[in-house]
């Protein structure tokens, strides 16, 4: 008796799938014998249904299933074939600390190092801004960004075993808030006079809310225009502070500027004894007493004989000549404020002058009815008059005494 030989064939005997994917059904076909397998495919996550093997593998790696077809009568030789299934693991990619994926920092600060793990893949990190570094050996992102920005970054893991349907991307965001910037013009004003408007302080601030403290009465801060202006109401040296507080969350700090307003008092000037218009030559003037504050006093163009004492702030003396003398009292501010002046006049009247053309004519003896020698008078700074009653026949007029006495008399 001649028996036919053993037959054995397998479909889809060599397969590679990704973890979680089902295999293509393996069909075992035999003839002239009985099929036998010593492999427990259920432990692989597979199931046998008749002469077919199917299912979704639960292992990673390569597993084999050996099928044997043998002759129950042990006449013909048995035949073997092998099913080989390779299961590749899918891509793994995760942050080590999920809460560090998204960060908000201030410019100039180091980020908290971002670490991630991956498997079964090659990894690429999207372009990072200047200052941040990706270390491919340690899988770390670290550094300090050099510009304020919102940075969206991605980490992409691409399968290195053909399971590209399972490529994975994780994302994060780093917000870099800019630091506080603060500057101001006209910060210190050291030569400032009471009653004047100060030069406006113009503040420039970025990434911050601005407050101003320590301003004197009369000076205000306008937050809408970021300006300080006004007119101080009292003389004083005032130090004020401009504070810029970060408006970012978390805060990126505080910056301050300090300014000084040196408000100087104005000049005051007064004097007693002014307007002396009836001084006679040779007589002293009444003392002119000057009062001045916040100033040095000078006096210009006094008449000869009259002087100014800068220790007592007094004008005194005796004019040496008659005339009208205008002079100026000047108070010059010791701190640059507006000077003050007083213009005054001293009028020095000359004394009376009376002369006779010929003094021999003052004493005369004449006969009644005889003309006297005319007496000629010259007068200055005065009105000429005769005291008493002239003898009959004599006349005084136009500075002359003349005529013929009609009576005997001694006058």
């Amino acid at each position: 008796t001649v028996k036919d030989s053993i037959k054995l064939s397998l479909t889809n005997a060599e397969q590679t799938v990704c973890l979680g994917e089902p295999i293509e059904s393996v069909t075992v076909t035999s003839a002239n014998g009985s099929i036998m397998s010593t492999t427990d495919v259920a432990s692989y996550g597979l199931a046998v249904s008749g002469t077919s093997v199917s299912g979704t593998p639960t292992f990673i790696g390569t597993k084999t299933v050996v099928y044997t077809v043998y002759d129950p009568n042990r006449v013909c030789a048995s035949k073997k074939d092998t099913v080989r299934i390779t299961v590749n693991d899918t891509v793994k990619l995760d942050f080590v600390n999920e809460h560090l994926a998204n960060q908000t920092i201030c410019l100039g600060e180091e980020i908290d190092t971002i670490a991630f793990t991956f498997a079964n893949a090659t990894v690429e990190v999207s372009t990072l801004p200047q200052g941040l570094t990706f270390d491919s050996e340690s899988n770390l992102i670290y550094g300090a960004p050099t510009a304020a920005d919102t940075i969206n970054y991605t980490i992409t893991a691409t399968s290195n075993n053909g399971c590209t349907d399972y490529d994975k991307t994780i994302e994060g965001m780093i917000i870099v808030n800019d630091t506080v910037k603060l500057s101001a013009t006209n910060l210190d004003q050291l030569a400032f006079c009471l009653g004047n408007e100060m030069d406006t302080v113009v503040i420039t601030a970025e990434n911050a809310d601005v407050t101003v403290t320590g301003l004197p009465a009369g000076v205000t801060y306008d937050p809408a225009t970021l300006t300080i202006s006004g007119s101080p109401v009292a003389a004083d040296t005032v130090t004020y502070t401009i504070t810029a507080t970060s408006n970012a969350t978390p805060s990126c700090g505080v910056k301050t500027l300090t300014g000084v307003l040196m408000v100087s008092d104005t000049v005051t000037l007064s004097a007693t004894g002014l307007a002396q218009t009836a001084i006679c030559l040779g007589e002293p003037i009444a003392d002119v007493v000057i009062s001045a504050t916040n100033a040095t006093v000078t006096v210009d163009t006094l008449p000869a004989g009259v002087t100014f004492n800068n220790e007592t702030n007094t004008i005194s003396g005796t004019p040496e000549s008659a005339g009208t003398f205008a002079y100026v009292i000047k108070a010059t501010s010791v701190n640059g404020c507006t000077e003050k002046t007083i213009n005054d006049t001293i009028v020095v009247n000359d004394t009376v002058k009376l002369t006779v053309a010929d003094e021999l004519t003052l004493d005369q003896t004449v006969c009644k009815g005889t003309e006297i020698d005319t007496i000629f008078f010259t007068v200055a700074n005065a009105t000429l008059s005769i005291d008493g009653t002239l003898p009959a026949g004599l006349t005084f007029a136009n500075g002359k005494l003349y005529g013929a006495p009609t009576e005997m008399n001694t006058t």
Side-chain angles (χ1 to χ4, degrees):
T1 302
V2 179
K3 296 187 67 175
D4 201 354
S5 60
I6 299 297
K7 302 288 192 296
L8 174 60
S9 66
L10 303 173
T11 61
N12 302 317
E14 292 280 346
Q15 294 188 49
T16 299
V17 296
C18 296
L19 183 63
E21 294 178 347
I23 65 171
E24 294 185 45
S25 180
V26 177
T27 301
V28 182
T29 303
S30 66
N32 308 313
S34 298
I35 300 173
M36 180 183 70
S37 172
T38 59
T39 302
D40 179 12
V41 295
S43 66
Y44 297 165
L46 303 176
V48 176
S49 176
T51 59
S52 297
V53 179
S54 61
T56 300
T58 57
F59 63 89
I60 297 171
T62 300
K63 301 289 186 180
T64 58
V65 181
V66 178
Y67 285 94
T68 303
V69 178
Y70 65 94
D71 181 358
N73 297 316
R74 300 182 183 276
V75 174
C76 296
S78 61
K79 194 167 185 178
K80 294 182 178 182
D81 207 346
T82 301
V83 175
R84 182 173 284 100
I85 299 173
T86 299
V87 180
N88 291 326
D89 202 355
T90 53
V91 171
K92 303 292 189 293
L93 176 64
D94 291 290
F95 288 109
V96 173
N97 294 300
E98 184 73 28
H99 70 280
L100 295 181
N102 300 313
Q103 299 183 38
T104 300
I105 63 170
C106 296
L107 183 62
E109 294 178 347
E110 295 270 344
I111 66 168
D112 291 328
T113 298
I114 299 169
F116 61 89
T117 59
F118 70 96
N120 314 308
T122 58
V123 170
E124 181 179 345
V125 177
S126 62
T127 302
L128 294 173
Q130 189 172 1
L132 290 185
T133 300
F134 165 55
D135 185 343
S136 59
E137 293 186 2
S138 60
N139 297 327
L140 300 176
I141 298 172
Y142 57 89
T146 59
D149 200 358
T150 297
I151 304 159
N152 294 294
Y153 66 94
T154 58
I155 304 169
T156 301
T158 303
S159 174
N160 57 10
N161 55 27
C163 293
T164 55
D165 287 345
Y166 300 93
D167 290 351
K168 191 173 182 181
T169 297
I170 54 178
E171 299 177 342
M173 177 187 293
I174 298 172
I175 299 173
V176 184
N177 289 322
D178 208 348
T179 51
V180 172
K181 295 178 176 58
L182 177 65
S183 62
T185 63
N186 301 319
L187 198 59
D188 294 328
Q189 299 185 40
L190 307 181
F192 187 78
C193 297
L194 183 64
N196 292 344
E197 286 282 335
M198 64 180 286
D199 292 332
T200 299
V201 177
V202 180
I203 302 167
T204 301
E206 296 180 28
N207 317 307
D209 298 317
V210 177
T211 57
V212 179
T213 56
L215 292 175
V219 176
T220 57
Y221 164 60
D222 183 352
T225 60
L226 295 182
T227 55
I228 299 170
S229 60
S231 178
V233 298
D236 200 0
T237 297
V238 179
T239 300
Y240 63 96
T241 302
I242 302 170
T243 303
T245 303
S246 172
N247 53 19
T249 303
S251 174
C252 288
V254 174
K255 282 192 175 181
T256 60
L257 292 173
T258 300
V260 176
L261 293 178
M262 189 177 292
V263 184
S264 300
D265 211 346
T266 52
V267 171
T268 64
L269 177 63
S270 62
T272 62
L274 298 174
Q276 299 187 46
T277 59
I279 305 298
C280 292
L281 183 62
E283 295 178 354
I285 68 170
D287 287 353
V288 176
V289 180
I290 302 167
S291 296
T293 58
N294 312 305
T296 56
V297 177
T298 58
V299 180
D300 298 332
T301 64
L302 289 172
V306 177
T307 59
F308 167 63
N309 185 327
N310 58 12
E311 292 184 0
T312 62
N313 279 349
T314 303
I315 299 171
S316 61
T318 302
E320 297 177 357
S321 60
T324 298
F325 303 96
Y327 67 97
V328 179
I329 303 171
K330 181 186 295 185
T332 303
S333 173
V334 295
N335 45 41
C337 297
T338 303
E339 68 181 19
K340 286 191 175 181
T341 60
I342 295 175
N343 294 296
D344 192 30
T345 300
I346 298 174
V347 178
V348 182
N349 296 317
D350 207 350
T351 52
V352 173
K353 304 291 190 298
L354 177 61
T355 59
V356 179
D358 184 356
E359 290 197 5
L360 294 178
T361 61
L362 288 176
D363 296 320
Q364 298 182 45
T365 301
V366 296
C367 295
K368 184 172 70 171
T370 303
E371 290 278 341
I372 68 170
D373 292 331
T374 300
I375 304 172
F376 294 93
F377 297 95
T378 301
V379 70
N381 310 311
T383 301
L384 190 60
S385 63
I386 297 293
D387 289 336
T389 302
L390 289 174
L394 292 183
T395 300
F396 176 72
N398 299 320
K400 297 184 295 182
L401 180 62
Y402 58 91
T406 60
E407 295 178 358
M408 295 180 62
N409 198 353
T410 299
T411 302

